[in-house]
Amino acid sequence: NNVIIVDIDDKSLKFDGRWPWSRNRIAAVVKSLQDSGAAVIVFDILFPEIEPNIADVLLKHARENKKISDTILNYLSSQSPNFDNDKILAETLANGDVVLGEFFNRSTKAGKLGRPVLNLNGLDNLVVLKMNRFVGNIPVLVDAAHYSGFTTTIPDEDGTIRRSPLLIQYGNNLYGALALEAVRAYLLIDDISLDLRDFGASKVFLGVQLGDIYIPTDLSGNILINYVGPAFTFSYVSASDVIQ
């Protein structure tokens, strides 16, 4: 009952236009949720690219047109902060506990990663999923949000997702899954530690300690997904209703 899905559904697209929405509309959703008492807001969508500032775009075109008066140029320049939608969203994110999504892969790199949950401190023989590329979010949003978590999952050979990595190694750091970071933010837990054992020359997982909560994992730090349903499902709210 503590989880509610804000759905960008057909009703929302009809109300506010096709996706992707402008960042100031996303900010309106976040602010409304914050005002309504949401403890943690979690995004399973990414913002890897900068949104153009329409005032700056118009100013550039105006400067190229020699017939535009200085009055208009000065006005457009003064309006630039009002249409910096990335900054508007960042300022809204900073007002509460927000978890941004990020995605690890082996082919594409874009945006910036959030803060890691642990530094490996030379522990280079840990058996854990390792990735060398990621799609993150633009820096101004990453710097404003308190948490980030990855949405990367690995299907089984039959294409079914039965388990999901709780941690992924990138470089010399471990990053947390979106669900892990959402729980960490909701329970206000900073401390996280690994329960490991030696397996030959490697170290394998037994589990992850999250404050007072122990989460058992497989040897690579994956958890079996406890799917809800079919009798029970999460509550859904249309994003357009949140905005209004």
Side-chain angles (χ1 to χ4, degrees):
N1 294 332
N2 289 341
V3 178
I4 296 177
I5 310 297
V6 178
D7 190 14
I8 302 171
D9 53 7
D10 290 341
K11 178 181 179 180
S12 302
L13 298 179
K14 183 177 180 180
F15 172 75
D16 222 3
R18 64 182 178 85
W19 184 262
W21 287 349
S22 176
R23 303 277 162 82
N24 66 336
R25 300 307 291 161
I26 301 295
V29 174
V30 173
K31 186 177 187 306
S32 181
L33 292 172
Q34 291 170 339
D35 292 344
S36 299
V40 179
I41 300 170
V42 185
F43 282 92
D44 65 346
I45 53 178
L46 283 71
F47 307 100
E49 298 173 343
I50 294 172
E51 180 177 319
N53 185 323
I54 187 61
D56 289 342
V57 173
L58 290 173
L59 182 61
K60 178 182 177 182
H61 285 287
R63 283 171 173 163
E64 293 171 352
N65 187 336
K66 304 301 182 181
K67 298 180 180 180
I68 299 296
S69 68
D70 289 341
T71 301
I72 293 178
L73 292 176
N74 291 335
Y75 175 76
L76 289 174
S77 180
S78 69
Q79 291 302 306
S80 179
N82 297 327
F83 293 92
D84 188 346
N85 291 331
D86 288 334
K87 184 179 179 181
I88 291 171
L89 177 56
E91 291 173 347
T92 308
L93 297 181
N95 290 330
D97 283 335
V98 176
V99 187
L100 293 180
E102 53 199 19
F103 183 80
F104 286 100
N105 64 91
R106 293 189 172 94
S107 59
T108 305
K109 187 173 182 179
K112 178 182 178 180
L113 281 177
R115 302 174 186 87
V117 295
L118 283 173
N119 183 276
L120 290 176
N121 294 320
L123 184 64
D124 55 4
N125 58 345
L126 180 64
V127 177
V128 68
L129 181 61
K130 298 176 176 62
M131 290 289 185
N132 56 10
R133 296 286 189 275
F134 66 85
V135 178
N137 299 280
I138 59 174
V140 66
L141 299 183
V142 175
D143 294 341
H146 297 158
Y147 302 88
S148 293
F150 63 80
T151 60
T152 307
T153 55
I154 308 296
D156 289 342
E157 291 183 358
D158 62 358
T160 302
I161 297 176
R162 295 183 177 87
R163 65 190 69 239
S164 188
L166 204 59
L167 299 161
I168 285 180
Q169 180 179 345
Y170 176 81
N172 198 39
N173 293 312
L174 287 178
Y175 292 84
L178 191 71
L180 178 68
E181 293 303 272
V183 170
R184 210 157 66 92
Y186 182 68
L187 298 178
L188 302 176
I189 295 175
D190 291 326
D191 297 332
I192 181 172
S193 59
L194 311 181
D195 184 11
L196 306 174
R197 74 177 179 194
D198 292 326
F199 188 79
S202 301
K203 287 189 178 295
V204 297
F205 279 86
L206 292 180
V208 172
Q209 190 74 40
L210 188 65
D212 295 331
I213 301 171
Y214 184 80
I215 307 170
T217 68
D218 66 12
L219 300 182
S220 301
N222 300 308
I223 58 169
L224 284 170
I225 300 174
N226 184 20
Y227 285 105
V228 295
F232 174 81
T233 186
F234 295 111
S235 298
Y236 281 75
V237 176
S238 175
S240 61
D241 290 340
V242 174
I243 294 175
Q244 296 179 78

